[in-house]
Amino acid sequence: MAVPTAAMGPSALGQSGPGSMVPWCSVSSGPSRYVLGMQELFRGHSKTREFLAHSAKVHSVAWSCDGRRLASGSFDKTASVFLLEKDRLVKENNYRGHGDSVDQLCWHPSNPDLFVTASGDKTIRIWDVRTTKCIATVNTKGENINICWSPDGQTIAVGNKDDVVTFIDAKTHRSKAEEQFKFEVNEISWNNDNNMFFLTNGNGCINILSYPELKPVQSINAHPSNCICIKFDPMGKYFATGSADALVSLWDVDELVCVRCFSRLDWPVRTLSFSHDGKMLASASEDHFIDIAEVETGDKLWEVQCESPTFTVAWHPKRPLLAFACDDKDGKYDSSREAGTVKLFGLPNDS
């Protein structure tokens, strides 16, 4: 059975020595011009602001394709949508209707008005920000924990706690296919070309299926322990996986080989995001910082400080702004109460 990533303990770094599936990182000969330029930018734009989004912890954040809106999904059973104004997020709406936690959400890949939420209430819901209404509720077999929208916009895939992935037609809202897997499915994603479907699993593997045939193409032994998350870079060159061994590995999309790994985190990697230009990779865990690496070298570019474990990170689709959410507590009144905030890094220091 798939388990929430929050339940995982510290890294088993001892497993990633010689003979393991991921190569040791190569040391480069000094920072690239890109790294120096971005570091210069972040020195003047290192401010993180937080915005109240929910009454309980935020599990998922995602930007609309045009970058105008940020959506968040929460344990409080709702989704919130913010508008990005100059240097701040302004709450536009709260979306109610789910009967259980909203564990993950994503936007339509090319329509900036539609997003979809996956919930433990055994439904997914498609929402339209123009009408602020739910335009479809699709009943599914189990408690949903992960969701993605195909790059062509035609299909939504949703995975549940019983390792069933359902493929739903985004126009008719009917199930097109359903796959029961014999392993723990953690995260799911299409490749950018829409012709392969990737799953990360509890045995440290990446399973690749042809799409739409859903026939097994390859299974890659990516990590010695639980492979938790996967993201494709917008340029279509790489994908990255994060695992319980605290490593992030970067893979060549065409060759399906690991080209480098990032090892600055100490705890299971829960969440990943590539910047809009494909040149930066943010990764986060229970460590109290978010690592920002240069993709081409693996070099550390920046780290974003946070006071608690991070659940979700998302780079803006056009700008060097990183949205994220942590397991923050509202310390002012009650140290056990969840804060429910969304954060934005990359704002001008004087804003």
Side-chain angles (χ1 to χ4, degrees), residues 150-177:
S150 64
D152 66 7
Q154 292 180 17
T155 313
I156 296 164
V158 58
N160 71 24
K161 285 185 177 172
D162 302 316
D163 309 310
V164 174
V165 177
T166 306
F167 295 85
I168 294 159
D169 186 304
K171 289 198 172 62
T172 66
H173 311 135
R174 297 185 191 283
S175 171
K176 296 201 281 195

PDB file of all heavy atoms in Angstrom, residues 150-177:
ATOM      1  N   SER A 150      -2.321  14.912 -18.336  1.00  0.00           N
ATOM      2  CA  SER A 150      -1.443  14.594 -19.463  1.00  0.00           C
ATOM      3  C   SER A 150      -1.054  15.872 -20.205  1.00  0.00           C
ATOM      4  O   SER A 150      -1.836  16.830 -20.256  1.00  0.00           O
ATOM      5  CB  SER A 150      -2.133  13.621 -20.420  1.00  0.00           C
ATOM      6  OG  SER A 150      -3.283  14.218 -20.992  1.00  0.00           O
ATOM      7  N   PRO A 151       0.155  15.909 -20.797  1.00  0.00           N
ATOM      8  CA  PRO A 151       0.606  17.118 -21.506  1.00  0.00           C
ATOM      9  C   PRO A 151      -0.329  17.565 -22.623  1.00  0.00           C
ATOM     10  O   PRO A 151      -0.417  18.759 -22.909  1.00  0.00           O
ATOM     11  CB  PRO A 151       1.975  16.715 -22.055  1.00  0.00           C
ATOM     12  CG  PRO A 151       2.461  15.660 -21.119  1.00  0.00           C
ATOM     13  CD  PRO A 151       1.231  14.906 -20.689  1.00  0.00           C
ATOM     14  N   ASP A 152      -1.068  16.633 -23.246  1.00  0.00           N
ATOM     15  CA  ASP A 152      -2.008  17.034 -24.303  1.00  0.00           C
ATOM     16  C   ASP A 152      -3.362  17.494 -23.747  1.00  0.00           C
ATOM     17  O   ASP A 152      -4.262  17.870 -24.508  1.00  0.00           O
ATOM     18  CB  ASP A 152      -2.187  15.921 -25.344  1.00  0.00           C
ATOM     19  CG  ASP A 152      -2.859  14.665 -24.775  1.00  0.00           C
ATOM     20  OD1 ASP A 152      -3.307  14.676 -23.602  1.00  0.00           O
ATOM     21  OD2 ASP A 152      -2.918  13.652 -25.501  1.00  0.00           O
ATOM     22  N   GLY A 153      -3.508  17.447 -22.427  1.00  0.00           N
ATOM     23  CA  GLY A 153      -4.723  17.941 -21.787  1.00  0.00           C
ATOM     24  C   GLY A 153      -5.914  17.001 -21.837  1.00  0.00           C
ATOM     25  O   GLY A 153      -6.970  17.299 -21.289  1.00  0.00           O
ATOM     26  N   GLN A 154      -5.766  15.836 -22.477  1.00  0.00           N
ATOM     27  CA  GLN A 154      -6.928  14.976 -22.719  1.00  0.00           C
ATOM     28  C   GLN A 154      -7.246  13.998 -21.584  1.00  0.00           C
ATOM     29  O   GLN A 154      -8.369  13.503 -21.501  1.00  0.00           O
ATOM     30  CB  GLN A 154      -6.710  14.190 -24.015  1.00  0.00           C
ATOM     31  CG  GLN A 154      -6.731  15.077 -25.242  1.00  0.00           C
ATOM     32  CD  GLN A 154      -6.526  14.309 -26.533  1.00  0.00           C
ATOM     33  OE1 GLN A 154      -6.680  13.090 -26.571  1.00  0.00           O
ATOM     34  NE2 GLN A 154      -6.162  15.012 -27.585  1.00  0.00           N
ATOM     35  N   THR A 155      -6.256  13.723 -20.727  1.00  0.00           N
ATOM     36  CA  THR A 155      -6.427  12.652 -19.738  1.00  0.00           C
ATOM     37  C   THR A 155      -5.913  13.090 -18.376  1.00  0.00           C
ATOM     38  O   THR A 155      -4.900  13.793 -18.283  1.00  0.00           O
ATOM     39  CB  THR A 155      -5.652  11.391 -20.182  1.00  0.00           C
ATOM     40  OG1 THR A 155      -5.937  11.129 -21.549  1.00  0.00           O
ATOM     41  CG2 THR A 155      -6.035  10.180 -19.346  1.00  0.00           C
ATOM     42  N   ILE A 156      -6.617  12.667 -17.343  1.00  0.00           N
ATOM     43  CA  ILE A 156      -6.166  12.865 -15.959  1.00  0.00           C
ATOM     44  C   ILE A 156      -5.900  11.483 -15.372  1.00  0.00           C
ATOM     45  O   ILE A 156      -6.746  10.585 -15.484  1.00  0.00           O
ATOM     46  CB  ILE A 156      -7.236  13.608 -15.134  1.00  0.00           C
ATOM     47  CG1 ILE A 156      -7.453  15.025 -15.672  1.00  0.00           C
ATOM     48  CG2 ILE A 156      -6.856  13.647 -13.655  1.00  0.00           C
ATOM     49  CD1 ILE A 156      -8.727  15.696 -15.189  1.00  0.00           C
ATOM     50  N   ALA A 157      -4.729  11.302 -14.783  1.00  0.00           N
ATOM     51  CA  ALA A 157      -4.409  10.041 -14.111  1.00  0.00           C
ATOM     52  C   ALA A 157      -4.431  10.285 -12.615  1.00  0.00           C
ATOM     53  O   ALA A 157      -3.899  11.290 -12.124  1.00  0.00           O
ATOM     54  CB  ALA A 157      -3.039   9.524 -14.545  1.00  0.00           C
ATOM     55  N   VAL A 158      -5.060   9.368 -11.894  1.00  0.00           N
ATOM     56  CA  VAL A 158      -5.134   9.502 -10.433  1.00  0.00           C
ATOM     57  C   VAL A 158      -4.778   8.171  -9.794  1.00  0.00           C
ATOM     58  O   VAL A 158      -5.205   7.108 -10.252  1.00  0.00           O
ATOM     59  CB  VAL A 158      -6.540  10.011  -9.996  1.00  0.00           C
ATOM     60  CG1 VAL A 158      -7.652   9.086 -10.467  1.00  0.00           C
ATOM     61  CG2 VAL A 158      -6.616  10.197  -8.487  1.00  0.00           C
ATOM     62  N   GLY A 159      -3.949   8.237  -8.762  1.00  0.00           N
ATOM     63  CA  GLY A 159      -3.529   7.037  -8.047  1.00  0.00           C
ATOM     64  C   GLY A 159      -4.083   7.034  -6.634  1.00  0.00           C
ATOM     65  O   GLY A 159      -4.203   8.090  -6.009  1.00  0.00           O
ATOM     66  N   ASN A 160      -4.432   5.840  -6.147  1.00  0.00           N
ATOM     67  CA  ASN A 160      -5.001   5.760  -4.795  1.00  0.00           C
ATOM     68  C   ASN A 160      -4.116   4.948  -3.853  1.00  0.00           C
ATOM     69  O   ASN A 160      -3.076   4.410  -4.242  1.00  0.00           O
ATOM     70  CB  ASN A 160      -6.447   5.253  -4.834  1.00  0.00           C
ATOM     71  CG  ASN A 160      -6.559   3.778  -5.209  1.00  0.00           C
ATOM     72  OD1 ASN A 160      -5.633   2.979  -5.032  1.00  0.00           O
ATOM     73  ND2 ASN A 160      -7.717   3.405  -5.744  1.00  0.00           N
ATOM     74  N   LYS A 161      -4.552   4.866  -2.596  1.00  0.00           N
ATOM     75  CA  LYS A 161      -3.756   4.198  -1.560  1.00  0.00           C
ATOM     76  C   LYS A 161      -3.639   2.696  -1.787  1.00  0.00           C
ATOM     77  O   LYS A 161      -2.791   2.048  -1.178  1.00  0.00           O
ATOM     78  CB  LYS A 161      -4.360   4.466  -0.171  1.00  0.00           C
ATOM     79  CG  LYS A 161      -4.085   5.863   0.338  1.00  0.00           C
ATOM     80  CD  LYS A 161      -4.590   6.054   1.762  1.00  0.00           C
ATOM     81  CE  LYS A 161      -4.232   7.445   2.263  1.00  0.00           C
ATOM     82  NZ  LYS A 161      -4.860   7.732   3.574  1.00  0.00           N
ATOM     83  N   ASP A 162      -4.487   2.143  -2.649  1.00  0.00           N
ATOM     84  CA  ASP A 162      -4.430   0.708  -2.940  1.00  0.00           C
ATOM     85  C   ASP A 162      -3.647   0.423  -4.226  1.00  0.00           C
ATOM     86  O   ASP A 162      -3.750  -0.671  -4.788  1.00  0.00           O
ATOM     87  CB  ASP A 162      -5.852   0.141  -3.056  1.00  0.00           C
ATOM     88  CG  ASP A 162      -6.642   0.372  -1.773  1.00  0.00           C
ATOM     89  OD1 ASP A 162      -6.075   0.152  -0.693  1.00  0.00           O
ATOM     90  OD2 ASP A 162      -7.806   0.803  -1.865  1.00  0.00           O
ATOM     91  N   ASP A 163      -2.889   1.432  -4.691  1.00  0.00           N
ATOM     92  CA  ASP A 163      -1.994   1.270  -5.852  1.00  0.00           C
ATOM     93  C   ASP A 163      -2.756   0.991  -7.146  1.00  0.00           C
ATOM     94  O   ASP A 163      -2.281   0.271  -8.023  1.00  0.00           O
ATOM     95  CB  ASP A 163      -0.932   0.193  -5.581  1.00  0.00           C
ATOM     96  CG  ASP A 163      -0.222   0.454  -4.258  1.00  0.00           C
ATOM     97  OD1 ASP A 163       0.215   1.600  -4.061  1.00  0.00           O
ATOM     98  OD2 ASP A 163      -0.145  -0.460  -3.423  1.00  0.00           O
ATOM     99  N   VAL A 164      -3.944   1.581  -7.248  1.00  0.00           N
ATOM    100  CA  VAL A 164      -4.707   1.550  -8.500  1.00  0.00           C
ATOM    101  C   VAL A 164      -4.561   2.926  -9.146  1.00  0.00           C
ATOM    102  O   VAL A 164      -4.737   3.956  -8.487  1.00  0.00           O
ATOM    103  CB  VAL A 164      -6.201   1.258  -8.239  1.00  0.00           C
ATOM    104  CG1 VAL A 164      -7.012   1.376  -9.540  1.00  0.00           C
ATOM    105  CG2 VAL A 164      -6.375  -0.128  -7.628  1.00  0.00           C
ATOM    106  N   VAL A 165      -4.215   2.938 -10.437  1.00  0.00           N
ATOM    107  CA  VAL A 165      -4.155   4.195 -11.187  1.00  0.00           C
ATOM    108  C   VAL A 165      -5.303   4.179 -12.199  1.00  0.00           C
ATOM    109  O   VAL A 165      -5.439   3.234 -12.983  1.00  0.00           O
ATOM    110  CB  VAL A 165      -2.803   4.372 -11.902  1.00  0.00           C
ATOM    111  CG1 VAL A 165      -2.804   5.663 -12.728  1.00  0.00           C
ATOM    112  CG2 VAL A 165      -1.660   4.401 -10.878  1.00  0.00           C
ATOM    113  N   THR A 166      -6.136   5.217 -12.157  1.00  0.00           N
ATOM    114  CA  THR A 166      -7.281   5.344 -13.056  1.00  0.00           C
ATOM    115  C   THR A 166      -7.013   6.474 -14.040  1.00  0.00           C
ATOM    116  O   THR A 166      -6.554   7.556 -13.644  1.00  0.00           O
ATOM    117  CB  THR A 166      -8.565   5.637 -12.248  1.00  0.00           C
ATOM    118  OG1 THR A 166      -8.716   4.634 -11.240  1.00  0.00           O
ATOM    119  CG2 THR A 166      -9.794   5.638 -13.135  1.00  0.00           C
ATOM    120  N   PHE A 167      -7.297   6.215 -15.315  1.00  0.00           N
ATOM    121  CA  PHE A 167      -7.113   7.211 -16.373  1.00  0.00           C
ATOM    122  C   PHE A 167      -8.484   7.739 -16.777  1.00  0.00           C
ATOM    123  O   PHE A 167      -9.343   6.962 -17.211  1.00  0.00           O
ATOM    124  CB  PHE A 167      -6.386   6.584 -17.565  1.00  0.00           C
ATOM    125  CG  PHE A 167      -4.969   6.171 -17.230  1.00  0.00           C
ATOM    126  CD1 PHE A 167      -4.704   4.936 -16.643  1.00  0.00           C
ATOM    127  CD2 PHE A 167      -3.905   7.038 -17.476  1.00  0.00           C
ATOM    128  CE1 PHE A 167      -3.405   4.561 -16.315  1.00  0.00           C
ATOM    129  CE2 PHE A 167      -2.601   6.671 -17.147  1.00  0.00           C
ATOM    130  CZ  PHE A 167      -2.351   5.433 -16.571  1.00  0.00           C
ATOM    131  N   ILE A 168      -8.685   9.033 -16.605  1.00  0.00           N
ATOM    132  CA  ILE A 168     -10.002   9.648 -16.779  1.00  0.00           C
ATOM    133  C   ILE A 168      -9.966  10.607 -17.966  1.00  0.00           C
ATOM    134  O   ILE A 168      -9.062  11.437 -18.082  1.00  0.00           O
ATOM    135  CB  ILE A 168     -10.413  10.390 -15.485  1.00  0.00           C
ATOM    136  CG1 ILE A 168     -10.599   9.356 -14.360  1.00  0.00           C
ATOM    137  CG2 ILE A 168     -11.672  11.219 -15.688  1.00  0.00           C
ATOM    138  CD1 ILE A 168     -10.497   9.928 -12.972  1.00  0.00           C
ATOM    139  N   ASP A 169     -10.955  10.487 -18.843  1.00  0.00           N
ATOM    140  CA  ASP A 169     -11.082  11.388 -19.987  1.00  0.00           C
ATOM    141  C   ASP A 169     -11.445  12.779 -19.457  1.00  0.00           C
ATOM    142  O   ASP A 169     -12.464  12.944 -18.781  1.00  0.00           O
ATOM    143  CB  ASP A 169     -12.174  10.866 -20.926  1.00  0.00           C
ATOM    144  CG  ASP A 169     -12.262  11.663 -22.215  1.00  0.00           C
ATOM    145  OD1 ASP A 169     -12.430  12.897 -22.137  1.00  0.00           O
ATOM    146  OD2 ASP A 169     -12.171  11.047 -23.299  1.00  0.00           O
ATOM    147  N   ALA A 170     -10.618  13.771 -19.774  1.00  0.00           N
ATOM    148  CA  ALA A 170     -10.803  15.107 -19.198  1.00  0.00           C
ATOM    149  C   ALA A 170     -12.035  15.819 -19.759  1.00  0.00           C
ATOM    150  O   ALA A 170     -12.511  16.787 -19.161  1.00  0.00           O
ATOM    151  CB  ALA A 170      -9.552  15.958 -19.430  1.00  0.00           C
ATOM    152  N   LYS A 171     -12.564  15.357 -20.897  1.00  0.00           N
ATOM    153  CA  LYS A 171     -13.764  15.997 -21.468  1.00  0.00           C
ATOM    154  C   LYS A 171     -15.051  15.302 -21.031  1.00  0.00           C
ATOM    155  O   LYS A 171     -16.016  15.948 -20.645  1.00  0.00           O
ATOM    156  CB  LYS A 171     -13.670  16.009 -22.999  1.00  0.00           C
ATOM    157  CG  LYS A 171     -12.608  16.983 -23.505  1.00  0.00           C
ATOM    158  CD  LYS A 171     -12.810  17.318 -24.973  1.00  0.00           C
ATOM    159  CE  LYS A 171     -11.861  18.437 -25.421  1.00  0.00           C
ATOM    160  NZ  LYS A 171     -10.438  18.064 -25.311  1.00  0.00           N
ATOM    161  N   THR A 172     -15.077  13.961 -21.107  1.00  0.00           N
ATOM    162  CA  THR A 172     -16.303  13.240 -20.747  1.00  0.00           C
ATOM    163  C   THR A 172     -16.361  12.913 -19.258  1.00  0.00           C
ATOM    164  O   THR A 172     -17.413  12.539 -18.738  1.00  0.00           O
ATOM    165  CB  THR A 172     -16.409  11.920 -21.535  1.00  0.00           C
ATOM    166  OG1 THR A 172     -15.335  11.053 -21.107  1.00  0.00           O
ATOM    167  CG2 THR A 172     -16.300  12.158 -23.027  1.00  0.00           C
ATOM    168  N   HIS A 173     -15.203  13.002 -18.580  1.00  0.00           N
ATOM    169  CA  HIS A 173     -15.073  12.706 -17.151  1.00  0.00           C
ATOM    170  C   HIS A 173     -15.354  11.235 -16.834  1.00  0.00           C
ATOM    171  O   HIS A 173     -15.690  10.894 -15.702  1.00  0.00           O
ATOM    172  CB  HIS A 173     -15.975  13.625 -16.306  1.00  0.00           C
ATOM    173  CG  HIS A 173     -15.831  15.071 -16.676  1.00  0.00           C
ATOM    174  ND1 HIS A 173     -16.901  15.924 -16.851  1.00  0.00           N
ATOM    175  CD2 HIS A 173     -14.730  15.808 -16.957  1.00  0.00           C
ATOM    176  CE1 HIS A 173     -16.469  17.122 -17.200  1.00  0.00           C
ATOM    177  NE2 HIS A 173     -15.148  17.079 -17.275  1.00  0.00           N
ATOM    178  N   ARG A 174     -15.193  10.377 -17.842  1.00  0.00           N
ATOM    179  CA  ARG A 174     -15.364   8.932 -17.628  1.00  0.00           C
ATOM    180  C   ARG A 174     -14.015   8.238 -17.600  1.00  0.00           C
ATOM    181  O   ARG A 174     -13.062   8.673 -18.242  1.00  0.00           O
ATOM    182  CB  ARG A 174     -16.211   8.333 -18.754  1.00  0.00           C
ATOM    183  CG  ARG A 174     -17.624   8.876 -18.809  1.00  0.00           C
ATOM    184  CD  ARG A 174     -18.461   8.158 -19.869  1.00  0.00           C
ATOM    185  NE  ARG A 174     -19.731   8.844 -20.105  1.00  0.00           N
ATOM    186  CZ  ARG A 174     -20.775   8.772 -19.295  1.00  0.00           C
ATOM    187  NH1 ARG A 174     -20.724   8.041 -18.212  1.00  0.00           N
ATOM    188  NH2 ARG A 174     -21.885   9.427 -19.576  1.00  0.00           N
ATOM    189  N   SER A 175     -13.978   7.126 -16.873  1.00  0.00           N
ATOM    190  CA  SER A 175     -12.740   6.346 -16.793  1.00  0.00           C
ATOM    191  C   SER A 175     -12.455   5.674 -18.140  1.00  0.00           C
ATOM    192  O   SER A 175     -13.330   5.055 -18.737  1.00  0.00           O
ATOM    193  CB  SER A 175     -12.891   5.284 -15.699  1.00  0.00           C
ATOM    194  OG  SER A 175     -11.806   4.398 -15.741  1.00  0.00           O
ATOM    195  N   LYS A 176     -11.222   5.839 -18.629  1.00  0.00           N
ATOM    196  CA  LYS A 176     -10.805   5.223 -19.897  1.00  0.00           C
ATOM    197  C   LYS A 176     -10.052   3.914 -19.654  1.00  0.00           C
ATOM    198  O   LYS A 176     -10.065   3.021 -20.491  1.00  0.00           O
ATOM    199  CB  LYS A 176      -9.850   6.168 -20.651  1.00  0.00           C
ATOM    200  CG  LYS A 176     -10.474   7.463 -21.083  1.00  0.00           C
ATOM    201  CD  LYS A 176      -9.692   8.102 -22.230  1.00  0.00           C
ATOM    202  CE  LYS A 176      -8.445   8.831 -21.770  1.00  0.00           C
ATOM    203  NZ  LYS A 176      -7.901   9.723 -22.824  1.00  0.00           N
ATOM    204  N   ALA A 177      -9.354   3.837 -18.532  1.00  0.00           N
ATOM    205  CA  ALA A 177      -8.549   2.649 -18.219  1.00  0.00           C
ATOM    206  C   ALA A 177      -8.245   2.653 -16.727  1.00  0.00           C
ATOM    207  O   ALA A 177      -8.324   3.692 -16.067  1.00  0.00           O
ATOM    208  CB  ALA A 177      -7.244   2.661 -19.017  1.00  0.00           C
TER     209      ALA A 177
END
